Amino acid sequence: MNRIPIRLRFALLAASAVAAGALLIGVVAVLRSEAATRQDFDHELIEETAEAAIAVQSGLTLDTFRHPQPAHGVLLLTLFDQEGRVIEGASAVAVPPMIASDPGTFYEFEDSITGEGYRAYSRPVPGEGRTGILVGSLSAASLIDESHSLRLEVGATIVLVTVLAGLGVFFLTGRVLLPVERLRRSAEELAADPGGRRLDVPPARDEVRRLAQSFNAGLERIDEMMATQRRFLAEASHELRTPITRLRAEIDLAQRPQRTHEELVAAVAGFDEHADHLTSLADNFLATLTPEKTPAKSAVPISVNQILANLRNLDAHGELIQIDVPRDIGKASVIAEPAALVGVLSNMVGNAFRHGAPPVELSVRRIENGLAFTVCDCGPGISAEAREQVLQPYTQGPAATSGTGLGLFIVHSFAASRGGELLIEDADPGCRMVLRLPFEFVTV
């Protein structure tokens, strides 16, 4: 059934329902009509037999009695005595004597010769003259013919009504489904050449309109996802270009013949740092696609001073950053992910240089369960209304003139996945960003 087209399916269901209803009505109508015809037949038989009985009682013989021809055929009369013997008969039809044994009732019998069915009625003929039981018989052929004709008419009417109902529903369903067909053609055209197109929305405010709007909303999200993917690839290319260039430069320098053993060892150490940076960038990019919380990776003991030193080495503005860290905090060691942490701090500092103004200061303070890294600049700042906005992927503040809008989102995702938070505040002047992260301190 599910393989049949919707229009034909509705037409078949409607035709079946109409046929069932029409059949029920037809059966009731036929039964009532047959009952009414039978009642008229019996009434005529009674009246004609009564007239004949009056004639017999007055002395007329059955041969000389003339009466109007009934509507249902010729009335056949037979006169029986009280013992059931035939006194006089008006036809060659053999009427069973038993019919005369119970006057005032109806009987049905078949002619033993022709096999034709008859319906008979008997009544007594009282009086001083000729007496007995008079039986009037009428052929039941007219009843059978009328019933057969009626059933044929009702059957033909049921078939006609069913066909008309099915065709009507078929064409009506086609009209109703016309917006769906237009929607399908629009979808085919869109599939052949998307080009940012949308499905045609029907003017009627019905389910088809809501379906088209839902499809268009889905297409909007797909376009946004594709745009996000393109921007992600552009950002990945941009972010990976710098460490890869530095790594290639380190490799070129390491291949020079005049490099000493110590310089080669330092170059190899630089390779390791650049590899860690690339790994961190890859993790950050994955965080933009799957921002759900993930467990910390490659957490090792490291001092705060070493984290800041790596930041200076990897960040393009390393020498311009003003770092304020108390001596006791700088010597403290924590369990951290060096590459990932340096990467998010570099994003914060880079954002301050790109969208703020120097001097840029990075300070580190101890908090209850970890450390707070604060980056301040002297730029225009970020308004309170835009602070939630800049934490979304590929979104920048109103004053941004460069970048792709991933830096702060990566920092925000990193902090959220490790139970921390990124706060954006006014620095008066400029902007203050505070990265609060929980750390486990290592006691030496």
Side-chain angles (χ1 to χ4, degrees), residues 297-302 307 334-339 341 439-440:
K297 301 177 182 179
S298 305
V300 296
I302 187 172
I307 293 173
V334 295
I335 304 298
E337 306 162 76
L341 182 56
F439 286 107
E440 178 183 351

Side-chain angles (χ1 to χ4, degrees), residues 45 49 75-78 119-123 134-138:
L45 182 58
T49 304
L75 179 65
L76 306 178
L77 298 172
T78 306
R119 187 169 176 80
Y121 176 74
S122 62
R123 63 171 294 151
L134 182 62
V135 176
S137 304
L138 281 176

Side-chain angles (χ1 to χ4, degrees), residues 121-132:
Y121 176 74
S122 62
R123 63 171 294 151
V125 181
E128 299 178 354
R130 300 169 63 194
T131 62

Side-chain angles (χ1 to χ4, degrees), residues 93-96 99 107-111 116-120 135 137:
V93 175
V95 179
I99 297 177
Y107 290 91
E108 293 182 358
F109 67 94
E110 289 184 0
D111 185 2
E116 185 177 356
Y118 287 85
R119 187 169 176 80
V135 176
S137 304

Side-chain angles (χ1 to χ4, degrees), residues 22 26 38 51 107 121 124 159 176 183 198 254 259 268 286 290 304 321 368 441:
R38 176 66 61 88
E51 291 181 4
Y107 290 91
Y121 176 74
V159 172
V176 172
L183 194 65
R198 297 293 178 265
R259 297 296 294 269
V268 172
L286 289 176
T290 56
V304 175
I321 304 172
E368 181 179 357
F441 288 86

Side-chain angles (χ1 to χ4, degrees), residues 161-184:
V161 169
T162 301
V163 172
L164 291 178
L167 291 176
V169 171
F170 182 79
F171 289 108
L172 182 61
T173 305
R175 295 291 299 176
V176 172
L177 294 179
L178 187 58
V180 178
E181 177 61 20
R182 291 173 179 169
L183 194 65
R184 183 192 65 80

Side-chain angles (χ1 to χ4, degrees), residues 305-327:
N305 284 335
Q306 185 60 43
I307 293 173
L308 299 178
N310 291 341
L311 176 63
R312 285 188 181 276
N313 292 335
L314 293 180
D315 195 273
H317 309 282
E319 299 300 327
L320 302 178
I321 304 172
Q322 299 179 10
I323 296 180
D324 177 19
V325 53
R327 180 175 299 180

